[in-house]
Amino acid sequence: MADVARLAGVSSQTVSRVSNGFAGVTEDTRRQVLAAMRELGYRPNSAARALRRGEFRTLGVITFSLSTLGNIRTLEAISTSAAGHGYAVTLLPVAVPTQDEVNGAFSRLGELAVDAVIVIMEIHLLDAATVSLPPGVQVVVADSDAGDRYTVVDTDQAGGARDAVRHLLDLGHETVWHLAGPEDSFAAQRRANAWRTTLTEAGRTPPPPVRGDWSAQSGYRAGLLLADEPGCTAVFAANDQMALGLLRALHERGRRVPDDVSVVGFDDIPESASFLPPLTTVHQDFAEVGRLCVEGVLSKMREGPAGAAGPTGGAHGTTLVPTRLVIRQSTTRRRP
């Protein structure tokens, strides 16, 4: 910094203000300092700056899987939002969902010097007393039912599932079959519970759910079973990828969509409008989930341990991001 100051003919304090993006420096002086930095190959020492300020401008993200659409889209949104606030993101995937792995992930993030942590994982693994969070590091959790213990941001899974089932009932279908997600997924549980409750409240008997693993292959296997159910005229699939496999299976078994079977998915992935037929589905706002996660941890950092009430403040609780039903050509009125 002293070398840059000498070459630019300014004080070291001015160089510091330019490198940190502070105001109070004329544009001519700023250009002069930046030119000296380029000539000398100077780069600010982020580690030293972090020690001086007491923050690292880095958010840690812990997640189990990068294979599911929801996690990928949420991670993308977190990274974009963090960058907009001047923060980098350090990703730490947890290969095996065990308590030791979760402990290890938090320990490694502490060593990597992060200011806050966003967790995208099954929250029951955070319940044990053996988990120790890095001292002073604030945590926000995505996709969880643990609002009594953490600050949680989630899609309104139940509301989206209700809209999907009611749409099919309003089209005259006697009941709605469900292609469910994995049993250990909180999102799948909430969608399945809402499907069952909505049918029961409408005076309909819920058929036995058929379970998949979020993949199109599992949707195809489930679709072969559903195609053999003569009373199956409507299916709510817990995600669009399983719905894609379901569409293929119904087609191969000669069950036309939507004339014979109406299908609704969940997620509204970009490709869903190009399915054959284009898929009616529940739209999730992943960008908003990511934004609220980032704003949540930044708010907790500013407010300190006590926090404050509010949708993204330091207090425990759950913020639900609304969904909306996107109606396309995979659903129609039930034929007499």
Side-chain angles (χ1 to χ4, degrees):
M1 187 178 291
D3 293 339
V4 172
R6 281 192 295 270
L7 181 59
V10 298
S11 67
S12 294
Q13 183 180 13
T14 298
V15 175
S16 176
R17 296 185 71 84
V18 172
S19 65
N20 287 292
F22 292 157
V25 180
T26 66
E27 189 57 35
D28 286 343
T29 300
R30 188 179 304 278
R31 284 197 294 267
Q32 190 173 336
V33 171
L34 291 175
M37 288 180 177
R38 287 192 296 270
E39 182 175 339
L40 294 175
Y42 170 81
R43 290 184 298 174
N45 188 318
S46 58
R49 186 162 53 192
L51 290 173
R52 185 167 63 252
R53 291 181 176 178
E55 63 177 16
F56 302 93
R57 307 293 293 182
T58 300
L59 303 179
V61 178
I62 299 177
T63 183
F64 278 158
S65 171
L66 293 176
S67 62
T68 63
L69 172 94
N71 284 1
I72 293 173
R73 295 284 298 277
T74 302
L75 177 60
E76 177 186 25
I78 289 171
S79 300
T80 300
S81 181
H85 288 279
Y87 280 75
V89 168
T90 295
L91 175 64
L92 199 61
V94 175
V96 182
T98 64
Q99 197 66 64
D100 287 342
E101 286 288 329
V102 174
N103 280 326
F106 275 112
S107 296
R108 291 192 293 277
L109 277 179
E111 296 166 1
L112 292 171
V114 300
D115 299 302
V117 177
I118 297 172
V119 182
I120 312 172
M121 64 166 59
E122 300 299 335
I123 196 60
H124 61 264
L125 288 177
L126 300 179
D127 291 344
T130 54
V131 172
S132 57
L133 305 184
V137 175
Q138 300 287 4
V139 176
V140 166
V141 182
D143 185 17
S144 167
D145 62 354
D148 58 334
R149 298 182 299 279
Y150 298 90
T151 298
V152 174
V153 179
D154 194 11
T155 295
D156 187 2
Q157 314 283 354
R162 283 194 301 269
D163 289 344
V165 175
R166 287 171 180 166
H167 170 66
L168 292 167
L169 293 178
D170 289 343
L171 291 173
H173 296 279
E174 290 297 322
T175 191
V176 178
W177 294 68
H178 185 40
L179 173 47
E183 288 186 287
D184 60 356
S185 165
F186 283 108
Q189 289 177 16
R190 285 191 289 275
R191 295 172 198 179
N193 289 342
W195 157 77
R196 187 178 296 105
T197 300
T198 304
L199 286 179
T200 301
E201 290 176 347
R204 316 297 172 87
T205 301
V210 181
R211 197 165 296 278
D213 61 10
W214 297 130
S215 69
Q217 292 85 352
S218 71
Y220 175 75
R221 291 190 296 270
L224 295 176
L225 298 175
L226 292 171
D228 292 334
E229 293 287 346
C232 178
T233 66
V235 181
F236 165 46
N239 77 335
D240 289 351
Q241 289 170 309
M242 289 194 299
L244 175 61
L246 169 66
L247 292 176
R248 176 191 166 196
L250 293 173
H251 173 75
E252 290 183 359
R253 290 297 176 91
R255 301 291 299 276
R256 295 171 299 169
V257 177
D259 294 338
D260 299 324
V261 182
S262 287
V263 176
V264 178
F266 201 111
D267 283 340
D268 192 24
I269 63 176
E271 297 81 7
S272 61
S274 299
F275 288 4
L276 189 63
L279 184 66
T280 296
T281 184
V282 177
H283 177 83
Q284 288 200 76
D285 193 345
F286 292 106
E288 183 68 1
V289 171
R291 184 186 71 81
L292 289 175
C293 284
V294 171
E295 291 189 356
V297 290
L298 297 183
S299 177
K300 290 164 73 72
M301 289 164 55
R302 289 190 297 267
E303 294 163 359
T312 58
H316 296 168
T318 299
T319 298
L320 292 180
V321 176
T323 61
R324 59 183 172 86
L325 184 67
V326 180
I327 300 176
R328 298 193 179 102
Q329 286 73 56
S330 66
T331 54
T332 191
R333 296 200 65 82
R334 182 193 177 200
R335 294 191 305 171

